[in-house]
Amino acid sequence: GAVVSQHPSWVICKSGTSVKIECRSLDFQATTMFWYRQFPKQSLMLMATSNEGSKATYEQGVEKDKFLINHASLTLSTLTVTSAHPEDSSFYICSASSSGGSYGYTFGSGTRLTVV
Amino acid sequence: GQQVMQIPQYQHVQEGEDFTTYCNSSTTLSNIQWYKQRPGGHPVFLIQLVKSGEVKKQKRLTFQFGEAKKNSSLHITATQTTDVGTYFCAGSGGSNYKLTFGKGTLLTVNP
């Protein structure tokens, strides 16, 4: 089945630094990937749609200059949290589909970011 | 924008009891998907419903999509401790494949 690998699983960084999170589709090509943010015991909030070879589409209220998304290949999308602050601490998770969503989406294992 | 409401937020049952979670969308959906997220884990796809009035079963799980394609439900018969987790519905309103997730229902099962 479709496998999505996300790295790192957890990261602790200092305020003001940047953190890069990788999302890879291991056994399929993904022209589109999605990035979500999930607060403890809450739902998944879509942050942006990552499009291979073009600019990401951000949801309303998400700062594109703070959450940089790059989808340079059909199997890799990256999310960079720039100048991180404690309020950016959260669980970030990506998803992709090998079927354009027809058979559901495969989620990465998520990245727990803690900014201190 | 599209909103998906899901109730209840929490449900605690005794093992063997049934469980149901409900989703309601503010707009007509092209399809609805259900996911399960175990504590500390990531969402795992369970099923997708596309047709009006569609009913699908997976062992003890029964999924329904309303006639108007605006609501859906997940019913678990005779819950087991392995059913513990948060169940999310997620609706898609068009061809851009974007999903809007409900808030989820956290199911806990007392053995």
Side-chain angles (χ1 to χ4, degrees), chain B residues 37-83:
Chain B
Q37 184 175 23
R38 293 182 184 275
H42 58 277
V44 175
F45 174 73
L46 294 177
I47 208 160
Q48 175 174 268
L49 304 172
V50 179
K51 299 177 182 177
S52 170
E54 189 170 14
V55 178
K56 287 188 177 180
K57 292 190 176 185
Q58 289 180 350
K59 298 183 180 178
R60 294 179 294 105
L61 278 62
T62 301
F63 304 84
Q64 293 188 340
F65 202 10
E67 292 291 339
K69 299 183 71 172
K70 294 180 70 174
N71 61 316
S72 181
S73 65
L74 158 60
H75 180 82
I76 302 179
T77 304
T79 54
Q80 300 175 358
T81 54
T82 53
D83 295 327

mmCIF file of all heavy atoms in Angstrom, chain B residues 37-83:
data_model
loop_
_atom_site.group_PDB
_atom_site.id
_atom_site.type_symbol
_atom_site.label_atom_id
_atom_site.label_comp_id
_atom_site.label_asym_id
_atom_site.label_seq_id
_atom_site.Cartn_x
_atom_site.Cartn_y
_atom_site.Cartn_z
ATOM 1 N N GLN B 37 -7.607 7.673 14.378
ATOM 2 C CA GLN B 37 -6.307 8.082 14.892
ATOM 3 C C GLN B 37 -6.161 7.529 16.310
ATOM 4 O O GLN B 37 -6.893 7.921 17.216
ATOM 5 C CB GLN B 37 -6.167 9.610 14.901
ATOM 6 C CG GLN B 37 -4.801 10.115 15.334
ATOM 7 C CD GLN B 37 -4.670 11.626 15.205
ATOM 8 O OE1 GLN B 37 -5.661 12.357 15.198
ATOM 9 N NE2 GLN B 37 -3.455 12.123 15.090
ATOM 10 N N ARG B 38 -5.222 6.630 16.457
ATOM 11 C CA ARG B 38 -4.953 6.093 17.794
ATOM 12 C C ARG B 38 -4.195 7.139 18.600
ATOM 13 O O ARG B 38 -3.503 7.986 18.034
ATOM 14 C CB ARG B 38 -4.124 4.815 17.701
ATOM 15 C CG ARG B 38 -4.879 3.655 17.065
ATOM 16 C CD ARG B 38 -4.012 2.414 17.054
ATOM 17 N NE ARG B 38 -4.663 1.300 16.380
ATOM 18 C CZ ARG B 38 -5.511 0.466 16.966
ATOM 19 N NH1 ARG B 38 -5.796 0.607 18.251
ATOM 20 N NH2 ARG B 38 -6.069 -0.523 16.292
ATOM 21 N N PRO B 39 -4.291 7.096 19.916
ATOM 22 C CA PRO B 39 -3.551 8.060 20.744
ATOM 23 C C PRO B 39 -2.069 8.059 20.407
ATOM 24 O O PRO B 39 -1.428 7.010 20.367
ATOM 25 C CB PRO B 39 -3.808 7.538 22.168
ATOM 26 C CG PRO B 39 -5.108 6.820 22.085
ATOM 27 C CD PRO B 39 -5.125 6.182 20.725
ATOM 28 N N GLY B 40 -1.535 9.234 20.118
ATOM 29 C CA GLY B 40 -0.126 9.351 19.770
ATOM 30 C C GLY B 40 0.202 8.985 18.343
ATOM 31 O O GLY B 40 1.360 9.051 17.935
ATOM 32 N N GLY B 41 -0.804 8.603 17.580
ATOM 33 C CA GLY B 41 -0.554 8.170 16.208
ATOM 34 C C GLY B 41 -1.035 9.166 15.172
ATOM 35 O O GLY B 41 -1.330 10.310 15.482
ATOM 36 N N HIS B 42 -1.097 8.695 13.941
ATOM 37 C CA HIS B 42 -1.543 9.547 12.862
ATOM 38 C C HIS B 42 -2.834 8.973 12.281
ATOM 39 O O HIS B 42 -3.143 7.794 12.487
ATOM 40 C CB HIS B 42 -0.470 9.632 11.771
ATOM 41 C CG HIS B 42 -0.094 8.304 11.187
ATOM 42 N ND1 HIS B 42 0.811 7.457 11.776
ATOM 43 C CD2 HIS B 42 -0.527 7.673 10.077
ATOM 44 C CE1 HIS B 42 0.932 6.377 11.046
ATOM 45 N NE2 HIS B 42 0.136 6.463 10.012
ATOM 46 N N PRO B 43 -3.601 9.786 11.577
ATOM 47 C CA PRO B 43 -4.867 9.293 11.021
ATOM 48 C C PRO B 43 -4.635 8.176 10.010
ATOM 49 O O PRO B 43 -3.723 8.244 9.183
ATOM 50 C CB PRO B 43 -5.460 10.525 10.344
ATOM 51 C CG PRO B 43 -4.799 11.680 11.023
ATOM 52 C CD PRO B 43 -3.416 11.218 11.332
ATOM 53 N N VAL B 44 -5.486 7.178 10.087
ATOM 54 C CA VAL B 44 -5.438 6.058 9.148
ATOM 55 C C VAL B 44 -6.778 5.981 8.430
ATOM 56 O O VAL B 44 -7.829 5.980 9.066
ATOM 57 C CB VAL B 44 -5.156 4.726 9.881
ATOM 58 C CG1 VAL B 44 -5.240 3.550 8.909
ATOM 59 C CG2 VAL B 44 -3.783 4.765 10.532
ATOM 60 N N PHE B 45 -6.721 5.911 7.120
ATOM 61 C CA PHE B 45 -7.925 5.886 6.295
ATOM 62 C C PHE B 45 -8.740 4.630 6.556
ATOM 63 O O PHE B 45 -8.198 3.519 6.598
ATOM 64 C CB PHE B 45 -7.515 5.948 4.824
ATOM 65 C CG PHE B 45 -8.649 5.798 3.848
ATOM 66 C CD1 PHE B 45 -9.554 6.828 3.658
ATOM 67 C CD2 PHE B 45 -8.794 4.630 3.114
ATOM 68 C CE1 PHE B 45 -10.588 6.702 2.745
ATOM 69 C CE2 PHE B 45 -9.821 4.491 2.198
ATOM 70 C CZ PHE B 45 -10.718 5.527 2.012
ATOM 71 N N LEU B 46 -10.046 4.821 6.758
ATOM 72 C CA LEU B 46 -10.935 3.684 6.941
ATOM 73 C C LEU B 46 -11.758 3.417 5.686
ATOM 74 O O LEU B 46 -11.798 2.291 5.180
ATOM 75 C CB LEU B 46 -11.893 3.944 8.120
ATOM 76 C CG LEU B 46 -11.256 4.047 9.509
ATOM 77 C CD1 LEU B 46 -12.324 4.388 10.548
ATOM 78 C CD2 LEU B 46 -10.536 2.763 9.868
ATOM 79 N N ILE B 47 -12.430 4.473 5.204
ATOM 80 C CA ILE B 47 -13.345 4.238 4.088
ATOM 81 C C ILE B 47 -13.731 5.558 3.433
ATOM 82 O O ILE B 47 -13.582 6.618 4.033
ATOM 83 C CB ILE B 47 -14.611 3.511 4.581
ATOM 84 C CG1 ILE B 47 -15.232 2.659 3.468
ATOM 85 C CG2 ILE B 47 -15.631 4.495 5.150
ATOM 86 C CD1 ILE B 47 -16.141 1.576 3.996
ATOM 87 N N GLN B 48 -14.218 5.478 2.212
ATOM 88 C CA GLN B 48 -14.762 6.642 1.518
ATOM 89 C C GLN B 48 -16.174 6.306 1.039
ATOM 90 O O GLN B 48 -16.416 5.220 0.513
ATOM 91 C CB GLN B 48 -13.892 7.030 0.318
ATOM 92 C CG GLN B 48 -14.490 8.165 -0.503
ATOM 93 C CD GLN B 48 -13.582 8.656 -1.602
ATOM 94 O OE1 GLN B 48 -12.807 9.583 -1.400
ATOM 95 N NE2 GLN B 48 -13.671 8.045 -2.768
ATOM 96 N N LEU B 49 -17.080 7.244 1.213
ATOM 97 C CA LEU B 49 -18.451 7.125 0.718
ATOM 98 C C LEU B 49 -18.672 8.189 -0.340
ATOM 99 O O LEU B 49 -18.286 9.338 -0.154
ATOM 100 C CB LEU B 49 -19.456 7.291 1.861
ATOM 101 C CG LEU B 49 -19.277 6.330 3.037
ATOM 102 C CD1 LEU B 49 -20.200 6.731 4.186
ATOM 103 C CD2 LEU B 49 -19.545 4.898 2.629
ATOM 104 N N VAL B 50 -19.281 7.793 -1.440
ATOM 105 C CA VAL B 50 -19.440 8.710 -2.566
ATOM 106 C C VAL B 50 -20.905 8.892 -2.973
ATOM 107 O O VAL B 50 -21.334 9.985 -3.306
ATOM 108 C CB VAL B 50 -18.633 8.210 -3.784
ATOM 109 C CG1 VAL B 50 -18.823 9.142 -4.969
ATOM 110 C CG2 VAL B 50 -17.157 8.090 -3.445
ATOM 111 N N LYS B 51 -21.658 7.815 -2.915
ATOM 112 C CA LYS B 51 -23.022 7.846 -3.440
ATOM 113 C C LYS B 51 -24.045 8.247 -2.379
ATOM 114 O O LYS B 51 -23.914 7.900 -1.203
ATOM 115 C CB LYS B 51 -23.396 6.472 -3.985
ATOM 116 C CG LYS B 51 -22.515 6.001 -5.126
ATOM 117 C CD LYS B 51 -22.901 4.602 -5.561
ATOM 118 C CE LYS B 51 -22.002 4.087 -6.662
ATOM 119 N NZ LYS B 51 -22.339 2.700 -7.041
ATOM 120 N N SER B 52 -25.049 8.940 -2.800
ATOM 121 C CA SER B 52 -26.156 9.318 -1.933
ATOM 122 C C SER B 52 -26.795 8.069 -1.327
ATOM 123 O O SER B 52 -27.112 7.118 -2.052
ATOM 124 C CB SER B 52 -27.190 10.094 -2.751
ATOM 125 O OG SER B 52 -28.376 10.293 -2.026
ATOM 126 N N GLY B 53 -26.948 8.056 -0.010
ATOM 127 C CA GLY B 53 -27.578 6.930 0.664
ATOM 128 C C GLY B 53 -26.703 5.695 0.796
ATOM 129 O O GLY B 53 -27.159 4.647 1.239
ATOM 130 N N GLU B 54 -25.446 5.841 0.472
ATOM 131 C CA GLU B 54 -24.547 4.688 0.471
ATOM 132 C C GLU B 54 -24.316 4.143 1.882
ATOM 133 O O GLU B 54 -24.214 4.903 2.834
ATOM 134 C CB GLU B 54 -23.211 5.083 -0.159
ATOM 135 C CG GLU B 54 -22.257 3.917 -0.418
ATOM 136 C CD GLU B 54 -21.055 4.325 -1.257
ATOM 137 O OE1 GLU B 54 -20.816 5.528 -1.415
ATOM 138 O OE2 GLU B 54 -20.360 3.412 -1.750
ATOM 139 N N VAL B 55 -24.255 2.825 1.986
ATOM 140 C CA VAL B 55 -23.948 2.149 3.235
ATOM 141 C C VAL B 55 -22.828 1.143 2.955
ATOM 142 O O VAL B 55 -22.925 0.359 2.014
ATOM 143 C CB VAL B 55 -25.170 1.405 3.807
ATOM 144 C CG1 VAL B 55 -24.781 0.656 5.093
ATOM 145 C CG2 VAL B 55 -26.317 2.366 4.087
ATOM 146 N N LYS B 56 -21.798 1.221 3.770
ATOM 147 C CA LYS B 56 -20.693 0.277 3.624
ATOM 148 C C LYS B 56 -20.377 -0.339 4.983
ATOM 149 O O LYS B 56 -20.502 0.336 6.007
ATOM 150 C CB LYS B 56 -19.442 0.955 3.064
ATOM 151 C CG LYS B 56 -19.532 1.301 1.589
ATOM 152 C CD LYS B 56 -18.184 1.796 1.085
ATOM 153 C CE LYS B 56 -18.218 2.073 -0.410
ATOM 154 N NZ LYS B 56 -16.893 2.551 -0.918
ATOM 155 N N LYS B 57 -19.953 -1.592 4.957
ATOM 156 C CA LYS B 57 -19.619 -2.274 6.197
ATOM 157 C C LYS B 57 -18.204 -2.817 6.141
ATOM 158 O O LYS B 57 -17.740 -3.298 5.102
ATOM 159 C CB LYS B 57 -20.604 -3.418 6.457
ATOM 160 C CG LYS B 57 -22.015 -2.959 6.777
ATOM 161 C CD LYS B 57 -22.887 -4.109 7.268
ATOM 162 C CE LYS B 57 -24.256 -3.597 7.679
ATOM 163 N NZ LYS B 57 -25.108 -4.663 8.268
ATOM 164 N N GLN B 58 -17.552 -2.713 7.290
ATOM 165 C CA GLN B 58 -16.246 -3.323 7.475
ATOM 166 C C GLN B 58 -16.312 -4.052 8.803
ATOM 167 O O GLN B 58 -16.173 -3.454 9.864
ATOM 168 C CB GLN B 58 -15.129 -2.273 7.533
ATOM 169 C CG GLN B 58 -14.794 -1.591 6.248
ATOM 170 C CD GLN B 58 -13.677 -0.574 6.426
ATOM 171 O OE1 GLN B 58 -13.266 -0.240 7.535
ATOM 172 N NE2 GLN B 58 -13.174 -0.058 5.319
ATOM 173 N N LYS B 59 -16.569 -5.340 8.738
ATOM 174 C CA LYS B 59 -16.688 -6.150 9.961
ATOM 175 C C LYS B 59 -17.711 -5.513 10.905
ATOM 176 O O LYS B 59 -18.891 -5.453 10.592
ATOM 177 C CB LYS B 59 -15.330 -6.333 10.612
ATOM 178 C CG LYS B 59 -14.331 -7.071 9.724
ATOM 179 C CD LYS B 59 -13.014 -7.309 10.442
ATOM 180 C CE LYS B 59 -12.055 -8.047 9.520
ATOM 181 N NZ LYS B 59 -10.725 -8.269 10.170
ATOM 182 N N ARG B 60 -17.292 -5.021 12.038
ATOM 183 C CA ARG B 60 -18.231 -4.442 13.012
ATOM 184 C C ARG B 60 -18.529 -2.968 12.762
ATOM 185 O O ARG B 60 -19.320 -2.367 13.492
ATOM 186 C CB ARG B 60 -17.649 -4.611 14.419
ATOM 187 C CG ARG B 60 -17.536 -6.069 14.871
ATOM 188 C CD ARG B 60 -16.919 -6.166 16.273
ATOM 189 N NE ARG B 60 -15.526 -5.717 16.268
ATOM 190 C CZ ARG B 60 -15.130 -4.557 16.752
ATOM 191 N NH1 ARG B 60 -16.001 -3.738 17.313
ATOM 192 N NH2 ARG B 60 -13.856 -4.233 16.722
ATOM 193 N N LEU B 61 -17.928 -2.384 11.741
ATOM 194 C CA LEU B 61 -18.123 -0.963 11.454
ATOM 195 C C LEU B 61 -19.100 -0.792 10.293
ATOM 196 O O LEU B 61 -18.966 -1.442 9.259
ATOM 197 C CB LEU B 61 -16.786 -0.305 11.090
ATOM 198 C CG LEU B 61 -15.855 0.128 12.218
ATOM 199 C CD1 LEU B 61 -15.405 -1.047 13.069
ATOM 200 C CD2 LEU B 61 -14.660 0.872 11.659
ATOM 201 N N THR B 62 -20.064 0.099 10.484
ATOM 202 C CA THR B 62 -21.025 0.418 9.428
ATOM 203 C C THR B 62 -20.989 1.911 9.172
ATOM 204 O O THR B 62 -21.127 2.713 10.099
ATOM 205 C CB THR B 62 -22.447 0.005 9.831
ATOM 206 O OG1 THR B 62 -22.485 -1.400 10.097
ATOM 207 C CG2 THR B 62 -23.430 0.313 8.698
ATOM 208 N N PHE B 63 -20.805 2.272 7.916
ATOM 209 C CA PHE B 63 -20.704 3.673 7.511
ATOM 210 C C PHE B 63 -21.899 4.009 6.633
ATOM 211 O O PHE B 63 -22.266 3.240 5.747
ATOM 212 C CB PHE B 63 -19.418 3.910 6.708
ATOM 213 C CG PHE B 63 -18.161 3.510 7.420
ATOM 214 C CD1 PHE B 63 -17.725 2.190 7.387
ATOM 215 C CD2 PHE B 63 -17.400 4.442 8.112
ATOM 216 C CE1 PHE B 63 -16.569 1.806 8.032
ATOM 217 C CE2 PHE B 63 -16.242 4.074 8.763
ATOM 218 C CZ PHE B 63 -15.820 2.751 8.721
ATOM 219 N N GLN B 64 -22.476 5.185 6.879
ATOM 220 C CA GLN B 64 -23.611 5.630 6.071
ATOM 221 C C GLN B 64 -23.374 7.039 5.555
ATOM 222 O O GLN B 64 -22.789 7.875 6.246
ATOM 223 C CB GLN B 64 -24.895 5.610 6.905
ATOM 224 C CG GLN B 64 -25.353 4.216 7.312
ATOM 225 C CD GLN B 64 -26.724 4.229 7.966
ATOM 226 O OE1 GLN B 64 -27.171 5.256 8.448
ATOM 227 N NE2 GLN B 64 -27.384 3.096 7.982
ATOM 228 N N PHE B 65 -23.868 7.285 4.365
ATOM 229 C CA PHE B 65 -23.839 8.620 3.757
ATOM 230 C C PHE B 65 -25.281 9.010 3.494
ATOM 231 O O PHE B 65 -26.037 8.255 2.888
ATOM 232 C CB PHE B 65 -23.058 8.568 2.445
ATOM 233 C CG PHE B 65 -22.514 9.886 1.976
ATOM 234 C CD1 PHE B 65 -22.523 11.027 2.767
ATOM 235 C CD2 PHE B 65 -21.958 9.994 0.699
ATOM 236 C CE1 PHE B 65 -22.010 12.230 2.331
ATOM 237 C CE2 PHE B 65 -21.427 11.193 0.247
ATOM 238 C CZ PHE B 65 -21.444 12.310 1.071
ATOM 239 N N GLY B 66 -25.663 10.190 3.941
ATOM 240 C CA GLY B 66 -27.045 10.613 3.840
ATOM 241 C C GLY B 66 -27.516 10.819 2.412
ATOM 242 O O GLY B 66 -26.710 11.007 1.494
ATOM 243 N N GLU B 67 -28.821 10.829 2.264
ATOM 244 C CA GLU B 67 -29.420 10.991 0.931
ATOM 245 C C GLU B 67 -29.041 12.329 0.298
ATOM 246 O O GLU B 67 -28.851 12.420 -0.918
ATOM 247 C CB GLU B 67 -30.944 10.882 1.039
ATOM 248 C CG GLU B 67 -31.463 9.507 1.415
ATOM 249 C CD GLU B 67 -31.269 8.484 0.331
ATOM 250 O OE1 GLU B 67 -31.102 8.873 -0.845
ATOM 251 O OE2 GLU B 67 -31.274 7.276 0.641
ATOM 252 N N ALA B 68 -28.953 13.353 1.129
ATOM 253 C CA ALA B 68 -28.599 14.680 0.632
ATOM 254 C C ALA B 68 -27.096 14.896 0.541
ATOM 255 O O ALA B 68 -26.650 15.982 0.150
ATOM 256 C CB ALA B 68 -29.224 15.752 1.531
ATOM 257 N N LYS B 69 -26.323 13.887 0.910
ATOM 258 C CA LYS B 69 -24.857 13.954 0.887
ATOM 259 C C LYS B 69 -24.345 15.109 1.738
ATOM 260 O O LYS B 69 -23.381 15.799 1.370
ATOM 261 C CB LYS B 69 -24.329 14.049 -0.544
ATOM 262 C CG LYS B 69 -24.721 12.836 -1.402
ATOM 263 C CD LYS B 69 -24.139 12.897 -2.802
ATOM 264 C CE LYS B 69 -22.658 12.665 -2.811
ATOM 265 N NZ LYS B 69 -22.110 12.536 -4.173
ATOM 266 N N LYS B 70 -25.010 15.313 2.864
ATOM 267 C CA LYS B 70 -24.549 16.343 3.792
ATOM 268 C C LYS B 70 -24.269 15.766 5.174
ATOM 269 O O LYS B 70 -23.747 16.474 6.033
ATOM 270 C CB LYS B 70 -25.595 17.465 3.911
ATOM 271 C CG LYS B 70 -25.799 18.253 2.620
ATOM 272 C CD LYS B 70 -26.833 19.353 2.792
ATOM 273 C CE LYS B 70 -26.327 20.466 3.671
ATOM 274 N NZ LYS B 70 -27.282 21.610 3.712
ATOM 275 N N ASN B 71 -24.647 14.526 5.396
ATOM 276 C CA ASN B 71 -24.371 13.941 6.703
ATOM 277 C C ASN B 71 -23.938 12.497 6.555
ATOM 278 O O ASN B 71 -24.196 11.838 5.530
ATOM 279 C CB ASN B 71 -25.586 14.070 7.626
ATOM 280 C CG ASN B 71 -26.792 13.347 7.074
ATOM 281 O OD1 ASN B 71 -27.100 13.428 5.900
ATOM 282 N ND2 ASN B 71 -27.471 12.618 7.924
ATOM 283 N N SER B 72 -23.267 12.037 7.614
ATOM 284 C CA SER B 72 -22.737 10.682 7.589
ATOM 285 C C SER B 72 -22.628 10.173 9.018
ATOM 286 O O SER B 72 -22.631 10.950 9.975
ATOM 287 C CB SER B 72 -21.351 10.666 6.922
ATOM 288 O OG SER B 72 -20.822 9.356 6.864
ATOM 289 N N SER B 73 -22.541 8.868 9.135
ATOM 290 C CA SER B 73 -22.387 8.280 10.463
ATOM 291 C C SER B 73 -21.497 7.058 10.391
ATOM 292 O O SER B 73 -21.366 6.404 9.345
ATOM 293 C CB SER B 73 -23.748 7.907 11.059
ATOM 294 O OG SER B 73 -24.358 6.873 10.295
ATOM 295 N N LEU B 74 -20.877 6.790 11.526
ATOM 296 C CA LEU B 74 -20.073 5.580 11.713
ATOM 297 C C LEU B 74 -20.615 4.873 12.939
ATOM 298 O O LEU B 74 -20.685 5.480 14.014
ATOM 299 C CB LEU B 74 -18.595 5.943 11.901
ATOM 300 C CG LEU B 74 -17.700 4.905 12.601
ATOM 301 C CD1 LEU B 74 -17.671 3.602 11.834
ATOM 302 C CD2 LEU B 74 -16.300 5.463 12.788
ATOM 303 N N HIS B 75 -20.966 3.632 12.776
ATOM 304 C CA HIS B 75 -21.509 2.840 13.876
ATOM 305 C C HIS B 75 -20.616 1.622 14.100
ATOM 306 O O HIS B 75 -20.290 0.922 13.155
ATOM 307 C CB HIS B 75 -22.937 2.381 13.551
ATOM 308 C CG HIS B 75 -23.556 1.560 14.629
ATOM 309 N ND1 HIS B 75 -24.150 2.119 15.745
ATOM 310 C CD2 HIS B 75 -23.682 0.215 14.764
ATOM 311 C CE1 HIS B 75 -24.623 1.146 16.518
ATOM 312 N NE2 HIS B 75 -24.352 -0.012 15.951
ATOM 313 N N ILE B 76 -20.226 1.436 15.348
ATOM 314 C CA ILE B 76 -19.436 0.254 15.704
ATOM 315 C C ILE B 76 -20.295 -0.637 16.588
ATOM 316 O O ILE B 76 -20.796 -0.198 17.629
ATOM 317 C CB ILE B 76 -18.133 0.628 16.438
ATOM 318 C CG1 ILE B 76 -17.283 1.555 15.563
ATOM 319 C CG2 ILE B 76 -17.351 -0.640 16.780
ATOM 320 C CD1 ILE B 76 -15.988 2.002 16.232
ATOM 321 N N THR B 77 -20.430 -1.860 16.201
ATOM 322 C CA THR B 77 -21.202 -2.838 16.964
ATOM 323 C C THR B 77 -20.281 -3.587 17.917
ATOM 324 O O THR B 77 -19.172 -3.967 17.536
ATOM 325 C CB THR B 77 -21.879 -3.839 16.015
ATOM 326 O OG1 THR B 77 -22.683 -3.126 15.076
ATOM 327 C CG2 THR B 77 -22.740 -4.828 16.761
ATOM 328 N N ALA B 78 -20.742 -3.743 19.143
ATOM 329 C CA ALA B 78 -19.995 -4.531 20.130
ATOM 330 C C ALA B 78 -18.537 -4.104 20.205
ATOM 331 O O ALA B 78 -17.621 -4.836 19.798
ATOM 332 C CB ALA B 78 -20.114 -6.019 19.814
ATOM 333 N N THR B 79 -18.319 -2.912 20.737
ATOM 334 C CA THR B 79 -16.980 -2.339 20.772
ATOM 335 C C THR B 79 -15.992 -3.251 21.501
ATOM 336 O O THR B 79 -16.356 -4.004 22.418
ATOM 337 C CB THR B 79 -16.991 -0.973 21.477
ATOM 338 O OG1 THR B 79 -17.585 -1.121 22.772
ATOM 339 C CG2 THR B 79 -17.741 0.054 20.662
ATOM 340 N N GLN B 80 -14.734 -3.120 21.078
ATOM 341 C CA GLN B 80 -13.636 -3.828 21.712
ATOM 342 C C GLN B 80 -12.592 -2.807 22.125
ATOM 343 O O GLN B 80 -12.593 -1.677 21.628
ATOM 344 C CB GLN B 80 -13.032 -4.847 20.734
ATOM 345 C CG GLN B 80 -14.020 -5.904 20.268
ATOM 346 C CD GLN B 80 -13.454 -6.827 19.212
ATOM 347 O OE1 GLN B 80 -12.310 -6.681 18.771
ATOM 348 N NE2 GLN B 80 -14.252 -7.806 18.781
ATOM 349 N N THR B 81 -11.691 -3.199 23.003
ATOM 350 C CA THR B 81 -10.675 -2.245 23.466
ATOM 351 C C THR B 81 -9.788 -1.778 22.329
ATOM 352 O O THR B 81 -9.227 -0.692 22.375
ATOM 353 C CB THR B 81 -9.811 -2.878 24.570
ATOM 354 O OG1 THR B 81 -9.273 -4.107 24.102
ATOM 355 C CG2 THR B 81 -10.649 -3.145 25.825
ATOM 356 N N THR B 82 -9.680 -2.571 21.295
ATOM 357 C CA THR B 82 -8.872 -2.176 20.133
ATOM 358 C C THR B 82 -9.524 -1.063 19.311
ATOM 359 O O THR B 82 -8.887 -0.491 18.419
ATOM 360 C CB THR B 82 -8.616 -3.379 19.215
ATOM 361 O OG1 THR B 82 -9.880 -3.978 18.895
ATOM 362 C CG2 THR B 82 -7.711 -4.391 19.889
ATOM 363 N N ASP B 83 -10.792 -0.765 19.611
ATOM 364 C CA ASP B 83 -11.483 0.304 18.890
ATOM 365 C C ASP B 83 -11.147 1.684 19.444
ATOM 366 O O ASP B 83 -11.540 2.703 18.861
ATOM 367 C CB ASP B 83 -13.006 0.105 18.957
ATOM 368 C CG ASP B 83 -13.466 -1.158 18.245
ATOM 369 O OD1 ASP B 83 -12.832 -1.521 17.235
ATOM 370 O OD2 ASP B 83 -14.436 -1.787 18.716
#
